[in-house]
Amino acid sequence: VYLKEQEYGKDRVRLAKVVKTGKWHEIIELTVCVLLDGEFEDSYTKTDNSMIVATDSMKNTIYILAKQSSCVENIEIFATEIGKHFITTYSHVHKATISIIKHKWTRMLIDGKLHDHSFHRDGEDVHDTKVVVSRKSVTIESGLKNLLVLKTTGSAFYGFLRDKYTTLPEADDRILSTNVDATWTFNIQNMASVGKIPFNDIFESVKQITLHTFATHNSASVQATLYLMAKNVLKKHSQIDSIRYELPNKHYFTYDLERFGLKNTGKDADIFVPFNDPAGLIIATVARV
Ligand SMILES: O=c1[nH]c(=O)c2nn[nH]c2[nH]1
């Protein structure tokens, strides 16, 4: 046998940074994962630990770099800084993969004004990133994860294949709900260009395009809506090479009330049963030609 591939590091490193500009405070809360690849074979095959950067040291490094960085709120930049640190500090590290989740803190609106130091969690959707830094290149992908959406109409599903396995009735009007996981890949020309990409603005724009398309597009299927979301993102953002959506179809089926003498089908349907499982799952990546 041989060691085909390996990477190791510290996962789920939790970090919060408070940035104070006078009385106006910002809170940035992250979860960071560092994975290193390099000349570590002997630690696996020869119990030689001399080249191992302890994962505990990686954890310390993340806090030190967060203290020194002015870009912690820009997770793609901060991840690149962390990756570059490990590549340049240890000559035997050849690749660093840094993943960061930025947790959501929304500033409170108190008495019609944004509060200077209070925040609340209004949703579990997050902005995340995965940056891979090697000696000759950097790749950056960003994501919007866990954005739960629902529309009560403006969605249909009919004209699908029918055979002896099919019982699903056609629907010209249905509830559509999904939990958006989106991941997009940037075309990075070189390390210097990383600093010029407005990652946070692009994240907010991808989220808004996703919501806008979901709400306004008369959906013929999750597949069709996915494709339109992706097309709209790529049309708007030339810095993005491709975008992948994972869309579970969180079904809301009408409950059968006919047996109780109550109409609850078609135009009269207003009582539904939300299903978490099983759920449809529609996954696609749309890229530039
Ligand atoms: O939008 C949908 N796509 C599908 O592939 C599917 N299958 N069942 N319901 C569905 N809805």
Side-chain angles (χ1 to χ4, degrees), residues 157 168 174 221-223 249 251 282:
F157 187 61
L168 182 72
R174 68 174 182 176
S221 66
V222 175
Q223 289 89 333
N249 191 350
H251 306 292
I282 317 297

Side-chain angles (χ1 to χ4, degrees), residues 28-212:
I28 303 149
E29 183 169 345
L30 310 179
T31 299
V32 183
C33 174
V34 172
L35 290 171
L36 303 184
D37 182 357
E39 297 158 44
F40 300 112
E41 293 82 1
D42 290 357
S43 67
Y44 293 87
T45 60
K46 297 177 183 152
T47 68
D48 173 355
N49 294 338
S50 59
M51 302 301 267
I52 292 182
V53 177
T55 64
D56 190 71
S57 309
M58 297 183 204
K59 178 196 66 181
N60 295 338
T61 304
I62 290 167
Y63 293 112
I64 294 163
L65 294 176
K67 179 74 181 175
Q68 296 165 342
S69 172
S70 60
C71 292
V72 172
E73 84 291 337
N74 216 325
I75 56 175
E76 290 85 356
I77 305 281
F78 185 43
T80 305
E81 288 176 349
I82 297 172
K84 277 200 295 195
H85 166 85
F86 285 104
I87 293 290
T88 52
T89 308
Y90 306 102
S91 59
H92 64 288
V93 171
H94 302 320
K95 184 177 82 169
T97 302
I98 315 297
S99 302
I100 300 181
I101 298 166
K102 179 161 68 173
H103 302 282
K104 200 175 186 183
W105 285 116
T106 301
R107 192 178 293 277
M108 288 185 190
L109 193 64
I110 302 294
D111 299 332
K113 276 177 47 185
L114 289 172
H115 198 266
D116 50 17
H117 60 260
S118 298
F119 305 85
H120 65 116
R121 178 68 49 89
D122 68 343
E124 287 309 315
D125 52 305
V126 293
H127 174 185
D128 66 359
T129 187
K130 183 170 89 169
V131 174
V132 180
V133 181
S134 68
R135 296 207 181 291
K136 56 186 184 310
S137 71
V138 61
T139 62
I140 300 182
E141 62 180 47
S142 295
L144 158 64
K145 299 293 188 298
N146 206 19
L147 177 66
L148 182 58
V149 292
L150 179 145
K151 62 192 305 188
T152 54
T153 187
S155 166
F157 187 61
Y158 55 82
F160 49 89
L161 182 147
R162 300 198 75 87
D163 62 11
K164 64 181 178 178
Y165 301 103
T166 309
T167 55
L168 182 72
E170 298 202 327
D172 58 10
D173 184 2
R174 68 174 182 176
I175 290 175
L176 181 61
S177 177
T178 186
N179 204 36
V180 177
D181 275 1
T183 307
W184 51 97
T185 305
F186 289 96
N187 49 30
I188 305 286
Q189 303 311 326
N190 52 56
M191 196 70 99
S193 64
V194 170
K196 300 190 193 77
I197 300 174
F199 293 105
N200 285 342
D201 292 345
I202 291 172
F203 168 78
E204 290 303 334
S205 174
V206 171
K207 179 174 176 179
Q208 193 47 42
I209 292 168
T210 299
L211 292 173
H212 187 274

